[in-house]
Amino acid sequence: MEKSPGASPETAAAAAEVAEQFRSLVSAEDVGSIKQAQHLILGRLQDSNAVLTHFNEYSEQCFAELSGDFASKTRLLKSMKDDLDHIFLKLRSMKSRLAATYPDAFPDGAMAEMDQRPDLESPLE
């Protein structure tokens, strides 16, 4: 134990006594078994860390390969939705022109039924 420059001999003796009492609280055999358990846990944690690092690298590689595909498919779906919205808008305008030109061709509630589209946001029952 190192002595500090201003420590008196009584302080050094008291510190040595406290240190000895702490050492006597736990046997050397218990300390050795604790060290062995800690060493075993350290090895397991290092193995787990290596596995997780490998998994993260693999996941990053897979994501890099697939992210381009996901982006292109998303753009395609958005384009298809825009096209379908345009088509349905044109169909609705054609139906309203037909109904205005030939009012007898459509029964009273037929136009309302034809204009209804399913709500794609709600879950199917």
Side-chain angles (χ1 to χ4, degrees):
M1 175 182 252
E2 290 183 30
K3 295 182 183 177
S4 59
S8 66
E10 297 91 24
T11 307
E17 178 64 27
V18 170
E20 185 57 39
Q21 287 179 2
F22 273 122
R23 280 190 220 108
S24 68
L25 290 176
V26 181
S27 70
E29 184 179 299
D30 290 342
V31 171
S33 66
I34 290 172
K35 283 183 178 179
Q36 184 179 6
Q38 287 179 340
H39 185 67
L40 180 66
I41 291 170
L42 175 64
R44 288 181 181 169
L45 289 174
Q46 287 173 337
D47 290 345
S48 297
N49 191 30
V51 169
L52 289 173
T53 301
H54 176 69
F55 177 75
N56 284 339
E57 290 169 356
Y58 175 73
S59 297
E60 185 178 348
Q61 178 186 358
C62 289
F63 179 75
E65 291 174 3
L66 295 177
S67 64
D69 289 342
F70 285 140
S72 67
K73 300 294 191 249
T74 302
R75 283 192 302 274
L76 176 65
L77 286 173
K78 285 181 181 179
S79 172
M80 289 171 64
K81 182 189 179 303
D82 291 342
D83 291 346
L84 286 173
D85 285 343
H86 180 73
I87 289 169
F88 282 119
L89 180 67
K90 289 289 188 181
L91 284 174
R92 278 194 292 278
S93 68
M94 289 172 136
K95 287 177 189 177
S96 63
R97 275 188 283 165
L98 281 174
T101 307
Y102 305 104
D104 296 336
F106 298 103
D108 290 337
M111 283 304 291
E113 289 176 17
M114 283 195 289
D115 248 2
Q116 290 180 351
R117 293 190 329 187
D119 184 10
L120 299 177
E121 300 295 324
S122 66
L124 295 177
E125 295 176 10

